Amino acid sequence: MESYEPERLSPVQSAAMRRSLTSGRGALTRRSLLRASGMGALALGGIATLGACGIPPAGRAEGAAAADDHSAKEKEVTFSNWTEYMDVSDDEKSRPTLAAFTKRTGIRVKYTEDINDNVEFFGKIKPQLAAGQNTGRDLICVTDWLAARIIRLGWAQKLDPSNLPHAFANVSAQFRTPDWDPGRAYSYPWTGIPTVIAYNAKATGGRKVDSVTQLLDDPKLKGRVSFLSEMRDTIGMTLLDQGKDPGKFTDTDFDGAIGRLQKAVDKKQIRRFTGNDYTADLSKGDIAACVGWAGDIIQLQADNPDIKFAIPAAGYITSSDNLLVPAQARHKTNAEKLIDYYYEPPVAAQLAAYINYVCPVDGVRDELAKIDKSMASNTLILPDREMAAKSRSFRSLSTEEETAYEEKFAKLIGA
C-alpha cells in the first residue's frame, strides 16, 4: 500500500491531461461518455491539490480503520456522483430509483452531483482523508485509476459481504476481479465503458472493419483511419491485437505497440489521433474507420444508420466507474445497502435504460427488455457472454511508468 506523497506532473503528463480535458474523454459530458482514465483525467485546477502542503502521509494499514457506524440510528446516506449519472423522472422533479430505495428502507439519500473531474474531486476530499477525518460523504463514484489509488492509500473502508448479497452474486464476470481490487473487497462498479472499433459502412463500401490490424494495414483505408489520443485506449487495443494482455504487459510489449503504430503513422495509414472530435468525421465519412468509445457510437447510430461497430476477435478495452465507502464515513451500512440495491436486476435495468452505459449487473436483460427491447439487445449496454469474455482492462501504472509511457506516446502522436 502506497503512502501519500505530493505529486508533480512532468510536462508530458500535463500535456496528456490537457488533451483529455479539451478533446478527450475528460471533455465530454456524462451523456457523451466516461471521463478519461489515468493521468489523462487530471483537471488543470486539480494539479495544485495533488501537491498541497501540510498533508501527512497516509498509513500503510490494510484499508481504512472501521469508523463508528451510525446507520442504525441515523437513517440516511450521502452519495456523491457525476452529473447525468442517475435516472430522473419525466418531469425532472425526482429520481425514481432513489425514491424507491427510501420508500423501501426508510433510508433518506442525500444525492449530490458534485463530481466533475476525478482529480478535482480528489482534491476536495483528500485533506480530510489524509487527516483521518470524515469527508461528509458515505458513498462516492470514481474512475478505476482513482479508485485504485484511494484503496492503496488506505482511504476506503472494506465492505461487509453480508450487506451485499445481490452485488456479490450479480456483478458481471468482466468486472469481478480488477487488479487493483481483486474480489471487489472495497468497491463495486457503477458502470463500464468499452473502447471498440467503429466504422462508416458507406465510407468502407459496405466492408466490415473489425481489427486493429485492418485499421493499420488495409490499403483501402489509407489516410482515413484515426486512433484515440488517450494512451490507455490506443495502446491497449494495439497490445491486444499483438496478442499481449493489457493487464500484464511489459516495457518491451509497450514499445512494440508504439513501434507498430509508428509504422502506420510513417506510411500515412493513420490520418490523426483524436479525442471525441472523431465523431463528426466518422459520421461524414471523412474517417472511414477508427478506434472509438462505445457511448459515442450509440449516439451516432441514432442519427446515422451507416455507423457500425465491431468487437475485435483479439478483445477490447473496458474502463469503469466504481462505488467506494470513504474512510470515516458515518453511514457505512446504509451505503452498502444502497450499493446492493443497485445490483437488483429490476433496479439496474431502470438505471441502465436512463444512462445508456454498460451495465455491470448480470441477469438484467429480461428486466431491461420490459423497458426497451432495443436497449436489451444492444451489446454496448449489455455485452453478451462472448463479448464480455473479450473485455480487458489496462493495468495499473506506477508513477515512473506513467511518465515514461506518456512521453513515448506523446512523441508518437505529435503532442
Side-chain angles (χ1 to χ4, degrees), residues 74 129 280 401:
E74 299 174 4
L129 290 172
E401 287 176 324

Side-chain angles (χ1 to χ4, degrees), residues 270-292:
I270 297 176
R271 180 169 180 160
R272 62 192 182 106
F273 293 86
T274 76
N276 65 307
D277 50 328
Y278 70 89
T279 55
D281 286 343
L282 180 64
S283 189
K284 290 186 297 184
D286 293 340
I287 291 293
C290 63
V291 170

